[in-house]
């Protein structure tokens, strides 16, 4: 694995070659990663996998024409050919008046913030095997669990570097560790499956493997013998690991490309109330050892904590340089880059602030509703905001979580759902996107 300094030099080198080949401007991304994954099933080692990769992506500009190429061959001869090919492709490409590098005066300068994203713990295959086995054993020990899809553990290390021809070069390293378990409860046609997992940048911040396994087993058993839910309008409560999907629909709707193309249900919503008063949604790229923390964005701009929604009001779009130019605005530091193609946009450690009431209080006045623990399908229209998903979970009866239910559909429109949303006070930072338990009133539930 290269060091961040070595990765940065790789990116700078191909940019220099591109300029020498005739490009007016260029940027490059270098990414390297190594990962080990171990899985066990029914107490026996099932698989050990090791992967390593190094990839280089180059984007060049000739006037307003651009082209992108990538390669895993990092020899000097291959890089010379890559740069020449990219410039030749750009000369034949159509013009794009919005194309170009990020504004030079906006680039990050100086040392990047220290975010503690790597710990380089000694995660040997033997230790990973033991963690996977511990998680699965704990899950299988739960009364009612009858089979297993396995336990898993992983460790990875990545280096990412970006360089541009107009003055930016930076790189950083991250590590990641994960433990999971997935088991089956019941028998025959009545079998139910569920899982649990945890990921962290630092190994010592992972939940205990036995706790992860126990939760997976308990979740599967709790779903046994599901009933049907009545059809009609009613409150729907989303558990935290599912509620984050609602926030993902928000970020998709406020992405610069969607606004520029007029393909968003929030097209005219900037500066208006889109959530109930008191709702705040924030993005924090500087969270120490956060799963999505980063010191700079995919175009070399500095990043900083920002409120997407403040007191229910939509405060910003998510803009890379191209969409910002198209909209006559400034980029917001949310650009993301893969190896191929130009930038898109993404958030970092996105979260909805906790509400003021415990979960028990949040559901106390629900006479008939559903608590959703699984969503199925992708029935969301990003242009209109229409929302329809298959679901499973539990009934809420007279303010209490009751028996499991399955094979029902929840539907609404995201514009209305956002305004009818109420968060509980149980926010915990466990994922890349974090929300508390969320209640949405007035949704339509269709039973099976």
């Amino acid at each position: 694995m290269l060091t961040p300094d070595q990765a940065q030099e790789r990116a700078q080198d191909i940019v220099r070659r591109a300029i020498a080949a005739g490009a007016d401007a260029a940027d490059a991304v270098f990414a390297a990663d190594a990962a080990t994954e171990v899985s066990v099933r029914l107490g026996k080692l099932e698989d050990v996998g090791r992967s390593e990769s190094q990839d280089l992506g180059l984007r060049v500009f000739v006037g307003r024409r651009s082209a992108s190429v990538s390669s895993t061959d990092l020899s000097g001869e291959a890089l010379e050919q890559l740069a020449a090919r990219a410039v030749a492709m750009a000369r034949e490409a159509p013009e794009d008046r919005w194309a170009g590098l990020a504004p030079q005066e906006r680039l990050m300068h100086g040392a990047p913030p220290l975010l503690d994203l790597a710990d380089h713990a000694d995660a040997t295959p033997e230790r990973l095997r033991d963690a996977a086995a511990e998680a699965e054993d704990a899950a299988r020990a739960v009364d009612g669990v009858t089979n297993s899809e396995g336990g898993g553990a992983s460790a990875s290390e990545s280096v990412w570097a970006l360089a541009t021809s107009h003055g930016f070069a930076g790189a950083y390293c991250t590590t990641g560790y994960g433990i999971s378990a997935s088991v089956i409860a019941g028998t025959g046609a009545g079998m139910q499956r569920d899982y649990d997992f945890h990921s962290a940048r630092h190994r010592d911040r992972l939940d205990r493997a036995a706790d992860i396994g126990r939760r997976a087993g308990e979740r599967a058993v709790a779903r046994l013998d599901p009933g049907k839910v009545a059809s009609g309008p009613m409150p729907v409560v989303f558990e935290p690991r599912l509620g984050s999907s609602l926030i993902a629909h928000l970020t998709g709707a406020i992405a610069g490309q969607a606004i520029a193309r007029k393909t968003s249900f929030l097209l005219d919503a900037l500066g208006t109330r889109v959530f109930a008063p008191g709702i705040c949604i924030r993005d924090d790229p500087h969270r120490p050892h956060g799963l999505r923390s980063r010191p700079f964005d995919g175009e070399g701009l500095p990043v900083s904590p920002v409120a997407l929604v403040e007191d229910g009001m939509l405060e910003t779009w998510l803009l890379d340089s191209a969409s910002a130019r198209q909209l006559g605005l400034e980029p917001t530091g949310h650009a993301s880059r893969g190896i191929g193609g130009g930038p898109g946009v993404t958030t970092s450690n996105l979260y909805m602030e906790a509400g003021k009431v415990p979960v028990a209080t949040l559901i106390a006045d629900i006479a008939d509703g559903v608590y959703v623990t699984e969503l199925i399908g992708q029935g969301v229209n990003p242009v209109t905001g229409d929302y329809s998903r298959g679901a499973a979970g539990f009934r809420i009866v007279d303010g209490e979580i009751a028996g499991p239910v399955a094979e029902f559909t929840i539907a609404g429109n995201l514009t209305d759902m956002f305004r009818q949303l109420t968060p509980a006070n149980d926010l915990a930072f466990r994922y890349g996107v974090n929300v508390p338990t969320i209640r949405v009133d007035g949704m339509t539930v269709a039973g099976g």
Side-chain angles (χ1 to χ4, degrees):
M1 177 70 68
L2 298 184
T3 67
D5 286 344
Q6 291 170 326
Q8 180 176 310
E9 173 54 34
R10 287 288 181 93
Q12 290 176 297
D13 176 60
I14 190 64
V15 167
R16 289 191 291 265
R17 293 173 189 266
I19 298 301
D24 296 323
D27 62 4
V29 173
F30 176 84
D33 62 78
T36 303
E37 298 180 354
V38 177
S39 61
V40 300
R41 182 173 180 272
L42 300 176
K44 297 181 179 180
L45 182 65
E46 186 170 63
D47 187 45
V48 178
R50 173 74 178 178
S51 63
E52 297 185 16
S53 66
Q54 292 188 120
D55 299 278
L56 186 68
L58 172 67
R59 183 173 60 143
V60 302
F61 297 89
V62 177
R64 289 295 183 183
R65 306 173 190 270
S66 67
S68 297
V69 293
S70 62
S71 178
T72 58
D73 186 346
L74 305 182
S75 65
E77 181 180 357
L79 295 181
E80 287 288 342
Q81 294 174 356
L82 187 74
R85 184 166 68 251
V87 172
M89 291 169 58
R91 287 174 175 150
E92 300 302 321
E95 288 194 354
D96 179 356
R97 59 184 296 196
W98 314 116
L101 301 178
Q104 187 170 8
E105 68 277 8
R106 293 285 309 277
L107 294 175
M108 188 187 79
H109 297 287
L114 300 176
L115 303 177
D116 198 16
L117 302 181
D119 74 346
H120 307 292
D122 185 17
T124 63
E126 292 77 16
R127 289 186 175 183
L128 296 176
R129 177 202 61 203
D130 292 345
E134 182 180 351
E136 193 201 32
D137 288 346
R140 294 174 63 203
V142 175
D143 189 31
V145 171
T146 55
N147 205 341
S148 173
E149 293 185 333
S154 63
S156 64
E157 180 180 358
S158 300
V159 176
W160 196 86
L162 170 70
T164 75
S165 60
H166 67 338
F168 177 82
Y172 58 96
C173 178
T174 63
T175 55
Y177 304 89
I179 300 174
S180 64
S182 177
V183 291
I184 296 167
T187 59
M191 291 189 297
Q192 295 290 331
R193 168 198 170 275
D194 217 314
Y195 68 96
D196 196 44
F197 72 97
H198 191 218
S199 302
R201 289 293 185 203
H202 289 213
R203 195 182 67 177
D204 62 5
R205 293 183 176 273
L206 278 176
D207 288 354
R208 291 178 59 247
D211 293 338
I212 294 169
R214 174 183 50 78
R215 289 194 297 263
E218 291 173 349
R219 291 177 67 96
V221 171
R223 297 181 62 170
L224 288 172
D225 302 319
K228 301 294 184 181
V229 64
S231 297
M234 64 183 71
V236 174
V237 179
F238 296 82
E239 71 165 8
R241 70 178 184 178
L242 294 186
S244 60
S245 66
L246 298 180
I247 309 308
H249 298 314
L250 167 70
T251 57
I254 64 175
Q257 294 93 331
I259 301 304
R261 295 170 182 168
K262 303 185 184 301
T263 57
S264 168
F265 68 93
L266 293 178
L267 183 62
D268 300 313
L270 188 64
T272 70
R273 188 172 301 285
V274 294
F275 286 83
I279 301 293
C280 296
I281 300 173
R282 305 190 185 281
D283 187 34
D284 183 7
H286 290 167
R287 186 174 180 82
H289 43 77
L291 289 175
R292 296 186 180 176
S293 296
R294 56 181 184 168
F296 50 85
D297 84 343
E299 294 182 303
L301 300 188
V303 294
S304 59
V306 63
L308 306 188
V309 174
E310 186 75 61
D311 193 26
M313 306 289 287
L314 181 61
E315 298 291 333
T316 185
W317 302 132
L318 305 176
L319 303 175
D320 63 346
S321 294
S323 60
R325 291 188 191 100
Q326 194 167 355
L327 294 170
L329 300 170
E330 290 294 318
T332 60
H334 288 95
S336 64
R337 279 293 298 273
I339 293 299
V345 294
T346 189
T347 54
S348 57
N349 302 296
L350 187 67
Y351 66 98
M352 176 182 288
E353 286 190 349
K356 300 184 182 301
V357 299
V359 176
T361 304
L362 187 75
I363 68 174
D365 66 340
I366 299 177
D368 190 15
V370 290
Y371 179 80
V372 176
T373 60
E374 181 181 17
L375 291 171
I376 304 164
Q378 301 294 328
V380 181
N381 187 321
V383 179
T384 65
D386 289 337
Y387 181 99
S388 179
R389 303 283 303 273
F394 299 85
R395 286 191 66 196
I396 302 174
V397 180
D398 295 330
E400 300 285 344
I401 302 292
V405 287
E407 298 179 354
F408 61 93
T409 300
I410 57 174
N413 184 276
L414 287 167
T415 302
D416 301 325
M417 291 166 62
F418 289 166
R419 293 195 181 111
Q420 296 297 319
L421 184 152
T422 304
N425 68 351
D426 60 338
L427 175 67
F429 290 91
R430 292 182 57 82
Y431 313 110
V433 179
N434 295 282
V435 301
T437 299
I438 287 173
R439 170 176 168 171
V440 181
D441 288 330
M443 293 194 70
T444 299
V445 175

